[in-house]
Amino acid sequence: MSAAGRAIAITGANGGIGRHTALALARLGAHVVLVCRNQQRADEATAFVRDNAPNARASSLVADLSTLAGVRGLARDLSALGGLSVLVNNAGVICRRRAITDDGFELTWAVNHVAPFVLSTMLLETLGANAPARIVNVNSDSHLHGTIDFGDLNSEKGFWPPRAYERSKLANVLFTKELARRVDPARVTVNALHPGLVNTDFGEVGGIVEFGWRVYKHFGITPAEGARTSVYLATSPEVAAKSGGYYRKCVLGPVNPLAEDAQLATRLWDHTERSVRG
Ligand SMILES: NC(=O)c1ccc[n+]([C@@H]2O[C@H](COP(=O)([O-])OP(=O)(O)OC[C@H]3O[C@@H](n4cnc5c(N)ncnc54)[C@H](OP(=O)(O)O)[C@@H]3O)[C@@H](O)[C@H]2O)c1
């Protein structure tokens, strides 16, 4: 699928992998829509893309993806845009401390699982109208260590940042595979990916998480390199009509065996759907 002329939305586009995903897609001729948390970050990110890709068609939208209101507002804005055919769910967090959002979700769960779930399902009709369309979920090999405890999705029994992150990313792979089972791949494909260890500000949230991340990230690849698999899944003809996969370095990679459990995926889908009902 050629990127030229297509409208592609990228969440978490103001920094790290997302910003370079937007730039690479703009260079391929896409109309990139940079979704950022606030206007200043959106303006800076859009300027970055335009400065580095002079003929780029770049615009921005602002949304706080930790709130259902923010996610739903974004879905409406993206639908109204017209022509959206690729959604890159790139925004993600690891949190230093347990925090509960206005909607009652643990923050890591809200941003990494609930937001892509709500945004993608709300945009299915819009994407389908612009078929062939794609959803790309930026995941992590951290999901390999994740487990889903339906009795404690809000970490009430104790909060450990990596555990909350691993669980949220496993949920996102389960969602990717379940959505792929529910949607005709001729209309909309959905795939997830691990970008590699990428030298970004991702873990700079203070405390022990930041201490570890600042050491670890120096072994990482650049954000431009980290964007490659996202760009591949968003545009390559090689993955046309391929859905439900988990990719690393642009090839299929191993997943947590729990991610292959279709019953678990259905249960999580139903649970998430109930939990976001107003
Ligand atoms: N870096 C790695 O080694 C690595 C490895 C595996 C997977 N990943 C995944 O890659 C993705 C991008 O991470 P990154 O490394 O590029 O880190 P990053 O630079 O921190 O990017 C994360 C993006 O998500 C946005 N975001 C977080 N919470 C948000 C919210 N409530 N509303 C709106 N936007 C929000 C951030 O916006 P703000 O700047 O406003 O906070 C930022 O733009 C994440 O999903 C991460 O889990 C990264």
Side-chain angles (χ1 to χ4, degrees):
M1 177 169 93
S2 162
R6 289 193 172 258
I8 303 183
I10 306 105
T11 66
N14 60 293
I17 298 164
R19 195 163 74 139
H20 281 273
T21 303
L23 174 60
L25 291 168
R27 283 179 171 153
L28 291 172
H31 166 202
V32 290
V33 183
L34 294 95
V35 180
C36 303
R37 199 198 291 254
N38 65 39
Q39 195 59 56
Q40 189 193 338
R41 290 176 195 185
D43 292 344
E44 285 167 8
T46 311
F48 169 81
V49 170
R50 290 195 183 128
D51 288 350
N52 289 283
N55 297 322
R57 193 160 165 229
S59 59
S60 65
L61 286 170
V62 169
D64 180 350
L65 301 174
S66 70
T67 71
L68 287 174
V71 177
R72 288 176 176 143
L74 174 63
R76 285 191 290 272
D77 289 345
L78 285 171
S79 293
L81 195 80
L84 183 77
S85 64
V86 182
L87 169 67
V88 183
N89 286 309
N90 167 80
V93 284
I94 186 165
C95 301
R96 175 186 179 187
R97 294 199 180 93
R98 181 174 179 268
I100 298 296
T101 68
D102 293 350
D103 307 295
F105 299 112
E106 187 280 314
L107 182 58
T108 324
W109 185 257
V111 176
N112 296 358
H113 170 57
V114 177
F117 179 97
V118 173
L119 188 60
S120 304
T121 50
M122 279 186 75
L123 284 172
L124 274 182
E125 210 177 300
T126 297
L127 290 165
N130 300 309
R134 299 182 183 188
I135 296 171
V136 177
N137 289 328
V138 181
N139 200 276
S140 168
D141 272 1
S142 295
H143 92 274
L144 293 166
H145 312 291
T147 54
I148 305 284
D149 173 1
F150 283 96
D152 193 30
L153 292 178
N154 269 356
S155 302
E156 276 150 12
K157 295 179 190 160
F159 183 76
W160 175 238
R163 197 186 315 133
Y165 182 68
E166 290 157 7
R167 174 173 48 211
S168 69
K169 291 296 191 184
L170 171 59
N172 181 252
V173 182
L174 282 158
F175 165 61
T176 302
K177 289 184 173 286
E178 181 62 18
L179 185 60
R181 281 188 282 269
R182 292 179 184 222
V183 179
D184 176 3
R187 284 178 72 234
V188 184
T189 63
V190 52
N191 291 290
L193 69 109
H194 173 64
L197 170 64
V198 189
N199 189 340
T200 67
D201 296 341
F202 184 65
E204 289 176 21
V205 293
I208 183 87
V209 174
E210 177 158 342
F211 180 76
W213 180 249
R214 280 186 181 270
V215 176
Y216 193 52
K217 74 178 206 169
H218 290 295
F219 298 99
I221 56 179
T222 65
E225 290 166 332
R228 277 188 193 150
T229 307
S230 298
V231 174
Y232 173 78
L233 289 176
T235 61
S236 174
E238 288 173 15
V239 285
K242 291 204 174 137
S243 200
Y246 178 81
Y247 290 74
R248 313 169 82 244
K249 294 185 179 172
C250 304
V251 292
L252 283 168
V255 290
N256 185 325
L258 290 172
E260 305 284 15
D261 183 339
Q263 274 185 335
L264 178 63
T266 309
R267 188 175 170 201
L268 178 65
W269 182 289
D270 293 344
H271 174 94
T272 308
E273 211 168 44
R274 271 196 309 276
S275 72
V276 299
R277 244 173 238 153

PDB file of all heavy atoms in Angstrom, residues 62-77 103 119:
ATOM      1  N   VAL A  62      -5.151  17.351  19.282  1.00  0.00           N
ATOM      2  CA  VAL A  62      -4.758  17.282  20.688  1.00  0.00           C
ATOM      3  C   VAL A  62      -5.725  16.376  21.434  1.00  0.00           C
ATOM      4  O   VAL A  62      -6.942  16.488  21.273  1.00  0.00           O
ATOM      5  CB  VAL A  62      -4.750  18.703  21.289  1.00  0.00           C
ATOM      6  CG1 VAL A  62      -4.613  18.667  22.801  1.00  0.00           C
ATOM      7  CG2 VAL A  62      -3.619  19.527  20.670  1.00  0.00           C
ATOM      8  N   ALA A  63      -5.161  15.451  22.227  1.00  0.00           N
ATOM      9  CA  ALA A  63      -6.025  14.572  23.025  1.00  0.00           C
ATOM     10  C   ALA A  63      -5.242  14.004  24.196  1.00  0.00           C
ATOM     11  O   ALA A  63      -4.080  13.609  24.043  1.00  0.00           O
ATOM     12  CB  ALA A  63      -6.557  13.417  22.169  1.00  0.00           C
ATOM     13  N   ASP A  64      -5.884  13.958  25.348  1.00  0.00           N
ATOM     14  CA  ASP A  64      -5.321  13.245  26.487  1.00  0.00           C
ATOM     15  C   ASP A  64      -5.879  11.828  26.439  1.00  0.00           C
ATOM     16  O   ASP A  64      -7.076  11.608  26.653  1.00  0.00           O
ATOM     17  CB  ASP A  64      -5.708  13.938  27.798  1.00  0.00           C
ATOM     18  CG  ASP A  64      -5.130  13.209  29.008  1.00  0.00           C
ATOM     19  OD1 ASP A  64      -4.595  12.078  28.846  1.00  0.00           O
ATOM     20  OD2 ASP A  64      -5.208  13.761  30.119  1.00  0.00           O
ATOM     21  N   LEU A  65      -5.003  10.872  26.156  1.00  0.00           N
ATOM     22  CA  LEU A  65      -5.444   9.496  25.945  1.00  0.00           C
ATOM     23  C   LEU A  65      -5.628   8.720  27.252  1.00  0.00           C
ATOM     24  O   LEU A  65      -5.939   7.538  27.216  1.00  0.00           O
ATOM     25  CB  LEU A  65      -4.453   8.776  25.024  1.00  0.00           C
ATOM     26  CG  LEU A  65      -4.292   9.427  23.645  1.00  0.00           C
ATOM     27  CD1 LEU A  65      -3.195   8.733  22.850  1.00  0.00           C
ATOM     28  CD2 LEU A  65      -5.602   9.392  22.875  1.00  0.00           C
ATOM     29  N   SER A  66      -5.446   9.399  28.378  1.00  0.00           N
ATOM     30  CA  SER A  66      -5.702   8.707  29.648  1.00  0.00           C
ATOM     31  C   SER A  66      -7.167   8.828  30.057  1.00  0.00           C
ATOM     32  O   SER A  66      -7.585   8.229  31.042  1.00  0.00           O
ATOM     33  CB  SER A  66      -4.806   9.267  30.756  1.00  0.00           C
ATOM     34  OG  SER A  66      -5.213  10.572  31.107  1.00  0.00           O
ATOM     35  N   THR A  67      -7.937   9.623  29.317  1.00  0.00           N
ATOM     36  CA  THR A  67      -9.354   9.772  29.663  1.00  0.00           C
ATOM     37  C   THR A  67     -10.224   9.271  28.514  1.00  0.00           C
ATOM     38  O   THR A  67      -9.908   9.476  27.335  1.00  0.00           O
ATOM     39  CB  THR A  67      -9.723  11.248  29.941  1.00  0.00           C
ATOM     40  OG1 THR A  67      -9.697  11.980  28.705  1.00  0.00           O
ATOM     41  CG2 THR A  67      -8.770  11.892  30.930  1.00  0.00           C
ATOM     42  N   LEU A  68     -11.328   8.652  28.860  1.00  0.00           N
ATOM     43  CA  LEU A  68     -12.252   8.175  27.825  1.00  0.00           C
ATOM     44  C   LEU A  68     -12.789   9.347  27.024  1.00  0.00           C
ATOM     45  O   LEU A  68     -12.959   9.251  25.805  1.00  0.00           O
ATOM     46  CB  LEU A  68     -13.400   7.397  28.467  1.00  0.00           C
ATOM     47  CG  LEU A  68     -13.040   6.012  29.005  1.00  0.00           C
ATOM     48  CD1 LEU A  68     -14.222   5.405  29.758  1.00  0.00           C
ATOM     49  CD2 LEU A  68     -12.599   5.094  27.870  1.00  0.00           C
ATOM     50  N   ALA A  69     -13.026  10.469  27.698  1.00  0.00           N
ATOM     51  CA  ALA A  69     -13.535  11.646  26.978  1.00  0.00           C
ATOM     52  C   ALA A  69     -12.523  12.093  25.926  1.00  0.00           C
ATOM     53  O   ALA A  69     -12.888  12.423  24.790  1.00  0.00           O
ATOM     54  CB  ALA A  69     -13.832  12.773  27.959  1.00  0.00           C
ATOM     55  N   GLY A  70     -11.242  12.079  26.303  1.00  0.00           N
ATOM     56  CA  GLY A  70     -10.189  12.480  25.367  1.00  0.00           C
ATOM     57  C   GLY A  70     -10.106  11.535  24.179  1.00  0.00           C
ATOM     58  O   GLY A  70      -9.984  11.953  23.023  1.00  0.00           O
ATOM     59  N   VAL A  71     -10.186  10.242  24.447  1.00  0.00           N
ATOM     60  CA  VAL A  71     -10.076   9.242  23.377  1.00  0.00           C
ATOM     61  C   VAL A  71     -11.292   9.339  22.452  1.00  0.00           C
ATOM     62  O   VAL A  71     -11.151   9.311  21.220  1.00  0.00           O
ATOM     63  CB  VAL A  71      -9.956   7.821  23.973  1.00  0.00           C
ATOM     64  CG1 VAL A  71      -9.927   6.777  22.866  1.00  0.00           C
ATOM     65  CG2 VAL A  71      -8.714   7.703  24.845  1.00  0.00           C
ATOM     66  N   ARG A  72     -12.458   9.463  23.031  1.00  0.00           N
ATOM     67  CA  ARG A  72     -13.671   9.525  22.199  1.00  0.00           C
ATOM     68  C   ARG A  72     -13.706  10.808  21.372  1.00  0.00           C
ATOM     69  O   ARG A  72     -14.115  10.803  20.208  1.00  0.00           O
ATOM     70  CB  ARG A  72     -14.913   9.424  23.088  1.00  0.00           C
ATOM     71  CG  ARG A  72     -15.075   8.015  23.637  1.00  0.00           C
ATOM     72  CD  ARG A  72     -16.235   7.913  24.596  1.00  0.00           C
ATOM     73  NE  ARG A  72     -16.411   6.531  25.036  1.00  0.00           N
ATOM     74  CZ  ARG A  72     -16.760   6.152  26.254  1.00  0.00           C
ATOM     75  NH1 ARG A  72     -16.993   7.069  27.196  1.00  0.00           N
ATOM     76  NH2 ARG A  72     -16.902   4.882  26.555  1.00  0.00           N
ATOM     77  N   GLY A  73     -13.266  11.911  21.967  1.00  0.00           N
ATOM     78  CA  GLY A  73     -13.202  13.172  21.221  1.00  0.00           C
ATOM     79  C   GLY A  73     -12.245  13.039  20.041  1.00  0.00           C
ATOM     80  O   GLY A  73     -12.525  13.504  18.934  1.00  0.00           O
ATOM     81  N   LEU A  74     -11.119  12.362  20.283  1.00  0.00           N
ATOM     82  CA  LEU A  74     -10.135  12.154  19.206  1.00  0.00           C
ATOM     83  C   LEU A  74     -10.742  11.309  18.094  1.00  0.00           C
ATOM     84  O   LEU A  74     -10.563  11.613  16.904  1.00  0.00           O
ATOM     85  CB  LEU A  74      -8.884  11.484  19.777  1.00  0.00           C
ATOM     86  CG  LEU A  74      -7.830  11.067  18.747  1.00  0.00           C
ATOM     87  CD1 LEU A  74      -7.272  12.289  18.003  1.00  0.00           C
ATOM     88  CD2 LEU A  74      -6.696  10.285  19.420  1.00  0.00           C
ATOM     89  N   ALA A  75     -11.457  10.261  18.462  1.00  0.00           N
ATOM     90  CA  ALA A  75     -12.082   9.397  17.442  1.00  0.00           C
ATOM     91  C   ALA A  75     -13.047  10.229  16.586  1.00  0.00           C
ATOM     92  O   ALA A  75     -13.070  10.085  15.357  1.00  0.00           O
ATOM     93  CB  ALA A  75     -12.811   8.236  18.104  1.00  0.00           C
ATOM     94  N   ARG A  76     -13.794  11.092  17.235  1.00  0.00           N
ATOM     95  CA  ARG A  76     -14.728  11.940  16.465  1.00  0.00           C
ATOM     96  C   ARG A  76     -13.959  12.887  15.542  1.00  0.00           C
ATOM     97  O   ARG A  76     -14.299  13.051  14.374  1.00  0.00           O
ATOM     98  CB  ARG A  76     -15.641  12.729  17.420  1.00  0.00           C
ATOM     99  CG  ARG A  76     -16.741  11.855  18.056  1.00  0.00           C
ATOM    100  CD  ARG A  76     -17.774  12.708  18.767  1.00  0.00           C
ATOM    101  NE  ARG A  76     -17.239  13.313  19.977  1.00  0.00           N
ATOM    102  CZ  ARG A  76     -17.251  12.731  21.192  1.00  0.00           C
ATOM    103  NH1 ARG A  76     -17.803  11.542  21.350  1.00  0.00           N
ATOM    104  NH2 ARG A  76     -16.744  13.344  22.240  1.00  0.00           N
ATOM    105  N   ASP A  77     -12.889  13.494  16.070  1.00  0.00           N
ATOM    106  CA  ASP A  77     -12.090  14.424  15.246  1.00  0.00           C
ATOM    107  C   ASP A  77     -11.462  13.694  14.057  1.00  0.00           C
ATOM    108  O   ASP A  77     -11.417  14.221  12.944  1.00  0.00           O
ATOM    109  CB  ASP A  77     -10.962  15.056  16.080  1.00  0.00           C
ATOM    110  CG  ASP A  77     -11.498  16.051  17.099  1.00  0.00           C
ATOM    111  OD1 ASP A  77     -12.671  16.461  16.984  1.00  0.00           O
ATOM    112  OD2 ASP A  77     -10.737  16.403  18.025  1.00  0.00           O
ATOM    113  N   ASP A 103     -11.638   7.960  34.998  1.00  0.00           N
ATOM    114  CA  ASP A 103     -12.608   6.908  34.666  1.00  0.00           C
ATOM    115  C   ASP A 103     -12.427   5.664  35.530  1.00  0.00           C
ATOM    116  O   ASP A 103     -13.122   4.657  35.323  1.00  0.00           O
ATOM    117  CB  ASP A 103     -12.465   6.520  33.190  1.00  0.00           C
ATOM    118  CG  ASP A 103     -12.555   7.732  32.285  1.00  0.00           C
ATOM    119  OD1 ASP A 103     -13.627   8.356  32.249  1.00  0.00           O
ATOM    120  OD2 ASP A 103     -11.543   8.070  31.642  1.00  0.00           O
ATOM    121  N   LEU A 119     -10.230   3.728  20.811  1.00  0.00           N
ATOM    122  CA  LEU A 119      -9.965   4.505  19.594  1.00  0.00           C
ATOM    123  C   LEU A 119     -10.123   3.639  18.342  1.00  0.00           C
ATOM    124  O   LEU A 119     -10.793   4.028  17.371  1.00  0.00           O
ATOM    125  CB  LEU A 119      -8.550   5.089  19.678  1.00  0.00           C
ATOM    126  CG  LEU A 119      -8.162   6.081  18.576  1.00  0.00           C
ATOM    127  CD1 LEU A 119      -9.088   7.297  18.581  1.00  0.00           C
ATOM    128  CD2 LEU A 119      -6.703   6.541  18.759  1.00  0.00           C
TER     129      LEU A 119
END
